[in-house]
Amino acid sequence: NLRKTSFKKMQLKEILTYQLWMVILSVATNIVIRLDFFLVSAWCSYKDIGVYNAAYQMATIVLLIPYALNKVMLPTVSELNASKLQAFIKDVLKGVVILSFAMLIALPFLKPVIVLILGAKYYQSAEIFQIFVFVFIACLIAIPFDQVMYSLGKVKYIAFGTYAQIVIITVLG
């Protein structure tokens, strides 16, 4: 009976520690998601805010891809042993590098395509959208590493990285 109680306490502590880091990560993620908008709105005109927000709305569609991939792959990754996890990382990283390279090649063509589809009034937003796509590439490259950290229960490292993003975004403003 004492073993069961001790075991339950250890499980509870592990769950609470993991959840604490998940909450800390969630707060950081929510800050990162809109910190840029708050900085732009503090320093720019309403027109500039509109241009930025249009680019952000276009980019949101693209930025959902790494988010969705993370959510879809996590259950599978969590069940892998160390050797299979290593093979998984290699496979996913290959796909991510190929997709990232293709997106880098497409980057210069995004502005004309957006202007063609949405019109000349979106020209400035298209330039900002290109920057967002570059950020998307960084998010895409982070997927396999985030998956490993989640599956190993090392959410605190992802949280530290997200808070580092907050600092970098704020400093670079």
Side-chain angles (χ1 to χ4, degrees):
N1 200 7
L2 183 59
R3 269 192 202 171
K4 281 186 176 181
T5 305
S6 177
F7 183 70
K8 286 181 182 179
K9 284 181 183 178
M10 287 175 53
Q11 280 182 318
L12 182 62
K13 181 181 177 189
E14 184 178 332
I15 290 168
L16 291 176
T17 301
Y18 185 82
Q19 287 304 316
L20 173 66
W21 284 108
M22 288 299 292
V23 168
I24 291 170
L25 174 61
S26 179
V27 169
T29 301
N30 286 314
I31 291 170
V32 164
I33 288 172
R34 290 314 296 191
L35 179 62
D36 56 339
F37 185 76
F38 291 120
L39 292 173
V40 168
S41 64
W43 295 322
C44 297
S45 69
Y46 288 124
K47 181 183 180 226
D48 292 337
I49 295 168
V51 167
Y52 185 84
N53 200 42
Y56 182 82
Q57 295 303 319
M58 290 184 283
T60 301
I61 296 164
V62 177
L63 292 172
L64 284 175
I65 295 169
Y67 179 79
L69 285 173
N70 258 331
K71 297 300 176 193
V72 169
M73 292 188 311
L74 187 58
T76 303
V77 174
S78 297
E79 295 177 359
L80 299 176
N81 63 31
S83 64
K84 288 184 179 181
L85 191 59
Q86 215 170 15
F88 169 82
I89 292 169
K90 285 181 182 177
D91 289 343
V92 171
L93 210 47
K94 283 179 195 173
V96 163
V97 167
I98 291 168
L99 183 57
S100 298
F101 186 70
M103 299 220 40
L104 280 173
I105 291 171
L107 210 53
F109 305 105
L110 293 176
K111 192 182 336 177
V113 169
I114 288 173
V115 170
L116 180 70
I117 294 170
L118 300 175
K121 65 183 178 185
Y122 285 93
Y123 182 80
Q124 289 177 308
S125 293
E127 291 176 337
I128 297 168
F129 176 73
Q130 287 176 306
I131 295 168
F132 280 128
V133 170
F134 191 76
V135 170
F136 162 77
I137 293 168
C139 293
L140 200 59
I141 291 170
I143 287 175
F145 304 106
D146 284 354
Q147 292 292 312
V148 169
M149 291 297 120
Y150 274 118
S151 66
L152 295 175
K154 305 291 184 186
V155 180
K156 67 181 174 184
Y157 297 114
I158 301 170
F160 291 145
T162 306
Y163 279 102
Q165 279 182 287
I166 292 170
V167 170
I168 291 167
I169 290 169
T170 306
V171 169
L172 295 178

